[in-house]
């Protein structure tokens, strides 16, 4: 039998927000109900059936029958248990929803996370709310409740697509975690905290932390610092530019522009591109046209053109690849060619896509200093269109 705060949230999470009649909330949450009471909001919806409140319960939903304007009766139809009929009023049938944003913020505060001002749900992830920040890595913290693994995965993937930065997800239990869920989280360097292991209620019915989640946060920070992201690449870019710069060049404006582009997240799309698309992209960059790239890859010209033509339908990350190719052609340069040649020849098996950006910048150094701002600006514009 389900009992307690965290199992109750998942048991009544039939939509984007946990919702049930008050009797069911009380029946399932049992002694944890005081922790929920301040976060339940009545809706305008009435229940279409009623839970079995017998002990033990029969496990089915009881059928509702309206007797008159002010009375309803709930009857068991399964015949398994000895469930008495329940007389109800319209008020008993009002569905109460969890104020997930407010509750999630309270949970985040209990665990020591920083506050967040905007708790509006994200369109691409309707079951997830921003509830805090992890100051050490400046990472967002989200709270979500899901009825099944499929909904959990869909919301994580939607969130990653809308806001491609590592995050920490707070969830009632670890019951929906699987190898697939863990793989998606690990691929995007995200953390997961099952609240049933670290939060309970005190004698006043208030949330309290039962154990420290510092080990989980340290692992998250360690993975994040070790992840091969765009920021370390930009740092190397700046060091290499400084090493070859002479008195005739003033690259401060360009470096500032690159930092702005990074800050806008214009390079973050690189994390979401599969290896096949990377190989095709590098081959086109190295060969200079699709025909040469197809020969290099050992596939038909028409096959490669078909695959490239579908990039625009595969999302913003793939659209950004096409835009970089168009941008490179538009400036009539060879930006990224040396790295692309190494990839095409098998000399760069690591597929370090951010290194392409480094090569782009290195080769743009051959331009006159006064052209830097214009070139960086044009790259920013095409990427912004592709990833916005």
């Amino acid at each position: 039998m389900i009992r307690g705060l965290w199992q109750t949230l998942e048991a009544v999470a039939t939509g984007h927000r946990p919702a049930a009649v008050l009797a069911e909330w009380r029946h399932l949450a049992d002694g944890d109900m005081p922790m929920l009471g301040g976060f339940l909001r009545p809706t305008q919806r009435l229940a279409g059936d009623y839970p079995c409140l017998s002990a033990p319960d029969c496990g089915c939903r009881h059928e509702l029958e309206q007797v008159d304007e002010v009375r309803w009766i709930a009857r068991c139809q399964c015949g398994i248990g000895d469930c008495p009929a329940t007389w109800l009023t319209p008020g008993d049938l009002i569905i109460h929803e969890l104020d997930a944003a407010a509750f999630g913020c309270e949970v985040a505060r209990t665990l020591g996370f920083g506050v967040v001002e905007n708790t509006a749900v994200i369109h691409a992830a309707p079951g997830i709310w921003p509830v805090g920040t992890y100051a050490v890595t400046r990472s967002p913290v989200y709270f979500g409740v899901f009825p099944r693994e499929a909904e959990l995965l869909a919301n994580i993937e939607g969130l990653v697509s809308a806001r491609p930065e590592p995050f920490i997800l707070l969830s009632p239990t670890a019951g929906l975690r699987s190898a697939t869920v863990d793989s998606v989280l690990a691929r995007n360097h995200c953390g997961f905290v099952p609240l049933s292991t670290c939060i309970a209620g005190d004698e006043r019915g208030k949330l309290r932390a039962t154990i420290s989640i510092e080990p989980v946060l340290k692992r998250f920070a360690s993975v994040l610092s070790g992840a091969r992201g765009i920021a370390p690449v930009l740092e190397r870019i700046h060091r290499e530019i400084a090493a070859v710069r002479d008195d005739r060049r003033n690259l401060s404006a360009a470096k500032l522009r690159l930092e702005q582009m990074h800050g806008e997240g214009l390079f973050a799309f690189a994390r979401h591109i599969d290896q096949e698309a990377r190989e095709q992209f590098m081959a086109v960059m190295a060969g200079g046209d699709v025909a040469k790239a197809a020969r290099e890859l050992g596939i038909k010209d028409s096959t490669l053109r078909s695959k490239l033509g579908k990039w625009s339908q595969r999302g913003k990350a793939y659209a950004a690849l096409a835009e970089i190719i168009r941008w490179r052609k538009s400036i009539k340069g060879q930006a990224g060619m040396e790295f692309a040649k190494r990839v095409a020849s098998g000399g760069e098996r690591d597929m370090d896509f951010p290194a392409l950006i480094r090569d782009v910048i290195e080769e743009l150094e051959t331009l006159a200093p006064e052209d830097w701002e214009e070139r960086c600006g044009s790259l920013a514009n095409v990427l912004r269109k592709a990833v916005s």
Side-chain angles (χ1 to χ4, degrees), residues 25 33-34 40 115 118-119 170 302 343:
W25 280 111
M33 186 62 183
L40 298 181
V115 298
N118 184 4
T119 60
L170 310 179
S302 58
V343 172

Side-chain angles (χ1 to χ4, degrees), residues 222-358:
S222 176
V223 168
L224 208 56
S225 64
R228 298 172 61 210
I230 301 300
V233 174
L234 284 177
E235 292 174 1
R236 293 199 302 272
I237 291 173
H238 296 162
R239 289 196 298 269
E240 291 167 11
I241 288 176
V244 299
R245 185 178 57 188
D246 59 31
D247 293 338
R248 293 173 299 173
R249 291 181 179 173
N250 181 0
L251 304 182
S252 60
K255 291 163 74 173
L256 176 60
R257 189 65 177 133
L258 287 173
E259 290 169 355
Q260 291 172 341
M261 291 163 66
H262 171 57
E264 294 173 12
L266 297 184
F267 296 143
F269 69 89
R271 293 198 298 266
H272 308 290
I273 300 163
D274 62 41
Q275 184 163 325
E276 181 187 44
R278 293 186 187 194
E279 291 174 347
Q280 294 164 358
F281 173 78
M282 297 304 183
V284 174
M285 291 287 285
D289 61 51
V290 176
K292 291 180 181 178
R295 288 195 296 271
E296 189 68 40
L297 294 170
I299 61 178
K300 293 181 179 179
D301 182 293
S302 58
T303 299
L304 180 56
R305 290 183 187 277
S306 175
K307 289 178 178 292
L308 300 184
K310 294 177 181 178
W311 278 0
S312 61
Q313 303 169 15
R314 297 183 64 183
K316 297 175 181 178
Y318 293 88
L321 289 185
E323 290 301 331
I324 288 183
I325 291 177
R326 294 191 190 98
W327 172 78
R328 197 263 290 173
K329 289 181 178 179
S330 72
I331 67 170
K332 299 180 174 61
Q334 298 296 307
M337 285 290 288
E338 289 305 315
F339 177 74
K341 288 175 181 176
R342 295 199 302 274
V343 172
S345 65
E348 189 76 34
R349 296 329 249 157
D350 193 28
M351 292 300 171
D352 184 6
F353 183 88
L356 170 65
I357 303 299
R358 180 188 64 209

Side-chain angles (χ1 to χ4, degrees), residues 22-292:
L22 276 178
E24 186 165 15
W25 280 111
R26 296 189 186 100
H27 183 65
L28 296 178
D30 200 22
D32 287 346
M33 186 62 183
M35 288 184 282
L36 282 171
F39 299 100
L40 298 181
R41 308 286 184 257
T43 69
Q44 299 298 314
R45 308 193 309 274
L46 296 182
D49 53 30
Y50 205 72
C52 178
L53 304 180
S54 299
D57 64 69
C58 68
C60 78
R61 308 294 295 185
H62 288 191
E63 185 176 283
L64 288 172
E65 178 184 345
Q66 186 171 6
V67 178
D68 52 39
E69 292 183 358
V70 295
R71 291 185 303 166
W72 296 71
I73 190 169
R75 290 193 178 96
C76 176
Q77 300 296 314
C78 69
I80 296 175
D82 185 17
C83 308
T86 305
W87 287 91
L88 304 166
T89 67
D92 296 322
L93 302 181
I94 295 175
I95 292 176
H96 285 67
E97 264 185 2
L98 178 73
D99 186 339
F103 181 76
C105 286
E106 183 63 25
V107 167
R109 281 193 293 270
T110 301
L111 293 176
F113 292 116
V115 298
V116 63
E117 293 183 1
N118 184 4
T119 60
V121 71
I122 299 159
H123 180 71
I128 291 179
W129 289 263
V131 295
T133 58
Y134 179 39
V136 173
T137 59
R138 298 181 182 178
S139 301
V141 178
Y142 297 96
F143 171 70
V145 185
F146 314 97
R148 291 174 294 275
E149 179 189 341
E151 282 81 357
L152 170 59
L153 277 171
N155 276 270
I156 291 175
E157 290 171 346
L159 181 57
V160 168
S161 174
R163 298 186 179 178
E165 60 180 321
F167 58 82
I168 297 171
L169 178 62
L170 310 179
S171 188
T173 75
L176 297 181
R177 287 188 72 173
S178 65
T180 302
V181 171
D182 284 343
S183 175
V184 173
L185 291 170
R187 186 167 65 245
N188 294 284
H189 313 302
C190 298
F192 184 94
V193 178
L195 298 171
S196 59
T197 64
C198 58
I199 291 185
D202 62 17
E203 63 279 0
R204 298 172 300 167
K206 302 294 184 180
L207 297 176
R208 64 178 179 87
T210 55
I211 62 170
S212 171
I213 62 169
E214 192 61 27
V216 176
L217 299 180
K218 284 184 176 179
R219 285 196 298 273
F220 171 77
S222 176
V223 168
L224 208 56
S225 64
R228 298 172 61 210
I230 301 300
V233 174
L234 284 177
E235 292 174 1
R236 293 199 302 272
I237 291 173
H238 296 162
R239 289 196 298 269
E240 291 167 11
I241 288 176
V244 299
R245 185 178 57 188
D246 59 31
D247 293 338
R248 293 173 299 173
R249 291 181 179 173
N250 181 0
L251 304 182
S252 60
K255 291 163 74 173
L256 176 60
R257 189 65 177 133
L258 287 173
E259 290 169 355
Q260 291 172 341
M261 291 163 66
H262 171 57
E264 294 173 12
L266 297 184
F267 296 143
F269 69 89
R271 293 198 298 266
H272 308 290
I273 300 163
D274 62 41
Q275 184 163 325
E276 181 187 44
R278 293 186 187 194
E279 291 174 347
Q280 294 164 358
F281 173 78
M282 297 304 183
V284 174
M285 291 287 285
D289 61 51
V290 176
K292 291 180 181 178

